[in-house]
Amino acid sequence: MSLDGWNTLLVLGGIRSGKSEFAEALVADAVSVRYVATAAGGGDDDAEWAARIAAHRERRPETWSTEETADDPRRLADVIAHARPDETLLVDDLGGWVTVLLDPAHQPADDTVTVAELAAAVRDCPARLVLVSPEVGLSLVPTTPLGRAFTDALGAVNRAVADACDAVVLVVAGQPVRLKPAAPEHAPTAEPSPERSTATVNGTAVPAQAGPNDARPVDGVAALPASPPVTTPEAPAASAPVPAADDTGWTAPTMTLPVADTGLVIQPGMELPMPDDYAGPQAVERLATLDVPGTGLGVLEQVVSFAAATQGTPTPAPWQSVRVLLLHGDHDGGSAAGARAGESARRAEAARAGQGVLARLAAESGAGLQVVEAPTAAAIEHGPALTAEQVDAALRYGWRLAEEAVDAGVQLLVVAACGAGTEAAAAAVLAATAGAEAPAVLGRVITENGEIDDVAWMARCAAVRDALHRTRRASRDAKDVLAQLGGGDIAVATGILLGATARRTPVLLDGPVGVAAGLVSRDLAGQARHWCMLADHGGHPAVKLASDVLGLSPLAQLRLDLGEGANALTVLPLLRSALALAAALPPRPSHDTADAGDVDATDEPDPVEEDEPDFREPEPAGPGPTSTEPAEQGTRAG
């Protein structure tokens, strides 16, 4: 990562996060480095701590000098303040410094003044200075007074030093994240012109706003056109979302990031919108007040909560306009073992013609169906599934598909897939991102005659195993996973999830391609998974595991096996019914109102009998048992 322009830098990180190695790498090119060790040495009774210190010492180059401040923690500020401009200082670390500072041997002392002196020395330091410090604020509050004193003191030190430094970096699992100054927003690579803009890709001018019917190559991807929707009208050219007739949340502000216009680069760390934090719980609380004869909607309450959060209102409306995006992209090699040649293309053509299971379910639900052609993935056991250029193009294409759907007034997207080898590709992505084993997440291969094909299943497992072995030293960055293992359909689906998230539009998943895209999109923008809902895992082991990783609970367990997307469309009418009930049912009448309706305003209250016995508890008469029974008949108090 680039950290140009800094003179003083604070490196934060958890235990074993790699913060010290990162800090040492920053000053590795310096002619000489003065290493300031702050921690006290390990005694004879703490061999593990002594081993840690020894490992740090052995890692330092011979040209570095070491200075220790454990005997007097106040001397650290003097060392920094008196450093020469041509020096490079590495202080490792402030956690050890705070430990020594809180030692009873150095008390009583004004620790606040000592911290202020350190911050002032850092701010005015003329030398190049790197400080390392543990970040303990993300852990649980310690249960001991000494532990709480340490975390409170170190938190105050980190804040003061971070404020004084030019730059601050947080290292998590060996990956540095810049906190200060904030990472610059990615500038657009091309300015849009008043007319339809074009982008030059591999020497070819490509329309920047290619619609779903454009069949031009995009960034080296030979086939990324989408067929016209079966029942959904063509998306308009306007880039602004279509306003709804009523103010039910569909017109809430969206994060519109037109990829084709600005050349936005899809990469990790994207900041996309989150659903409303308050609307979901408010909707669930409102359900408890509705006039229903039973206990309510059961598990469908999470549907109401999800719809409320994504629509931004406690009374969400049923999704009226739904579009199914059927991704057709095959996977070569062992991933497609057991699949009949040409079967996926036949099903895609049937869907275009309005035939087949998915098309009929879409028609019954009043949903539009759009077939999307994704590039064929190469055999992952022999090499990358896609090139880096193809991955970028597929991500942008999926984003554009989501934007076009939202611009056409679509309120819910459904991801479906029909390619050969998709289950093995999804299993490979799941293994790379969640540490799954291929045999545990690959479902059995069933032939067209209903027989189990164990040979084909073993071939798929072997393909995933070989692909993971081939990429064992490769980066697990989201784009690299898509290029090495995922393929075109998963890459396009990832772009759809990101684009839908940017436009605040929910997505319904139910199969391996959708959940694999959810795992990858999580690493590009963590907000994406919060806009996804799982209709049913269908008994598929990969979908089960991925849903656990993503925190998605299936709404139904029908165990249908009609192809990815069919479960979602089967459940969709039930989801709409739940939302319609939640929106239309009146609140339960209160008991006071019901009782008041039975009372005649002209009725006189019944007279009170004067001879009614008084059931006050008698005073105890002395030792021995007492009774709270009423007095004998005819006996009166007073």
Side-chain angles (χ1 to χ4, degrees):
M1 64 182 295
S2 176
L3 288 170
D4 297 335
W6 63 271
N7 189 68
T8 55
L9 172 69
L10 174 62
V11 180
L12 298 170
I15 299 173
R16 300 296 192 186
S17 63
K19 58 184 182 297
S20 294
E21 290 90 338
F22 175 77
E24 292 166 6
L26 289 176
V27 298
D29 58 346
V31 177
S32 64
V33 175
R34 183 150 50 126
Y35 187 98
V36 183
T38 61
D44 297 335
D45 57 342
D46 196 346
E48 192 272 339
W49 180 250
R52 285 179 179 239
I53 294 179
H56 275 257
R57 288 172 177 167
E58 293 175 0
R59 205 166 57 217
R60 301 171 205 161
E62 295 180 355
T63 58
W64 290 14
S65 61
T66 301
E67 186 164 352
E68 298 185 356
T69 63
D71 294 337
D72 183 9
R74 295 166 185 80
R75 199 167 67 85
L76 177 60
D78 295 335
V79 172
I80 295 174
H82 293 90
R84 298 188 307 272
D86 59 342
E87 283 188 303
T88 299
L89 270 64
L90 174 56
V91 179
D92 195 357
D93 67 5
L94 295 181
W97 181 76
V98 169
T99 301
V100 176
L101 184 65
L102 297 179
D103 192 296
H106 300 288
Q107 299 295 328
D110 193 340
D111 297 336
T112 303
V113 172
T114 305
V115 173
E117 291 174 351
L118 175 63
V122 170
R123 184 176 288 106
D124 299 333
C125 181
R128 196 167 179 83
L129 174 64
V130 177
L131 304 103
V132 181
S133 185
E135 175 51 64
V136 296
L138 302 179
S139 62
L140 298 175
V141 177
T143 58
T144 62
L146 185 58
R148 289 192 292 271
F150 174 77
T151 54
D152 291 346
L154 184 56
V157 171
N158 286 346
R159 292 180 61 178
V161 174
D163 181 69
C165 284
D166 301 328
V168 181
V169 172
L170 174 65
V171 180
V172 181
Q175 306 301 312
V177 181
R178 182 166 61 181
L179 304 181
K180 175 187 177 182
E185 296 184 1
H186 301 285
T189 59
E191 291 293 335
S193 61
E195 301 177 356
R196 184 178 181 181
S197 58
T198 60
T200 301
V201 180
N202 298 334
T204 304
V206 179
Q209 295 238 9
N213 297 321
D214 284 320
R216 299 174 177 83
V218 181
D219 286 6
V221 179
L224 278 180
S227 65
V230 174
T231 58
T232 304
E234 184 176 350
S239 60
V242 178
D246 58 346
D247 187 15
T248 59
W250 302 114
T251 57
T254 62
M255 180 175 287
T256 305
L257 302 175
V259 180
D261 283 339
T262 64
L264 173 73
V265 177
I266 300 177
Q267 63 181 10
M270 302 176 67
E271 290 294 333
L272 299 181
M274 283 283 289
D276 193 310
D277 289 336
Y278 302 100
Q282 290 173 354
V284 174
E285 292 177 1
R286 179 179 171 274
L287 289 178
T289 67
L290 298 183
D291 187 16
V292 294
T295 57
L297 294 175
V299 295
L300 293 181
E301 285 187 355
Q302 60 181 309
V303 179
V304 179
S305 176
F306 174 81
T310 54
Q311 296 181 26
T313 172
T315 55
W319 301 294
Q320 299 299 330
S321 180
V322 180
R323 179 175 293 185
V324 182
L325 296 175
L326 176 60
L327 307 178
H328 174 226
D330 291 338
H331 298 257
D332 291 341
S335 297
R340 191 170 62 179
E343 179 66 13
S344 64
R346 184 185 70 82
R347 295 196 179 278
E349 287 299 326
R352 286 190 180 95
Q355 301 172 355
V357 173
L358 199 65
R360 293 186 179 278
L361 287 174
E364 289 292 333
S365 302
L369 176 59
Q370 181 175 349
V371 179
V372 179
E373 292 293 337
T376 300
I380 58 175
E381 61 267 37
H382 302 310
L386 298 175
T387 64
E389 293 76 14
Q390 287 178 313
V391 170
D392 287 333
L395 287 172
R396 293 197 300 270
Y397 184 63
W399 187 303
R400 188 167 66 246
L401 288 171
E403 284 200 323
E404 290 169 352
V406 177
D407 290 343
V410 172
Q411 300 165 344
L412 176 69
L413 289 172
V414 178
V415 174
C418 66
T422 57
E423 293 186 0
V429 171
L430 190 57
T433 57
E437 294 290 340
V441 294
L442 267 174
R444 307 303 292 267
V445 179
I446 309 297
T447 66
E448 58 184 5
N449 298 325
E451 299 176 349
I452 297 176
D453 190 346
D454 285 334
V455 175
W457 178 81
M458 288 187 289
R460 295 184 183 185
C461 290
V464 176
R465 177 203 62 198
D466 294 345
L468 294 173
H469 180 75
R470 178 182 60 81
T471 61
R472 64 191 182 279
R473 294 187 177 90
S475 169
R476 288 300 186 239
D477 177 79
K479 288 188 178 181
D480 291 330
V481 170
L482 290 174
Q484 295 291 340
L485 306 170
D489 50 358
I490 297 179
V492 173
T494 302
I496 291 172
L497 297 187
L498 295 173
T501 300
R503 297 297 296 269
R504 298 181 180 272
T505 302
V507 182
L508 197 55
L509 309 175
D510 79 341
V513 170
V515 295
L519 289 171
V520 177
S521 65
R522 176 194 61 173
D523 296 333
L524 293 169
Q527 302 85 359
R529 68 182 182 90
H530 296 281
W531 294 88
C532 298
M533 183 169 52
L534 182 64
D536 189 353
H537 55 58
H540 196 290
V543 181
K544 286 183 178 180
L545 179 58
S547 63
D548 289 340
V549 175
L550 293 171
L552 302 178
S553 299
L555 301 174
Q557 296 187 22
L558 303 179
R559 302 184 69 86
L560 296 177
D561 191 12
L562 301 174
E564 184 163 356
N567 285 354
L569 291 179
T570 303
V571 175
L572 181 59
L574 179 62
L575 308 186
R576 284 172 164 168
S577 297
L579 293 176
L581 280 175
L585 283 178
R588 184 186 306 109
S590 64
H591 293 294
D592 294 341
T593 304
D595 294 342
D598 297 335
V599 177
D600 190 346
T602 60
D603 289 346
E604 293 289 339
D606 294 335
V608 179
E609 301 249 351
E610 293 185 1
D611 293 338
E612 200 66 36
D614 189 351
F615 287 95
R616 289 180 299 178
E617 182 173 331
E619 295 291 333
T626 60
S627 173
T628 56
E629 294 293 327
E632 291 287 332
Q633 186 74 17
T635 304
R636 307 185 189 279

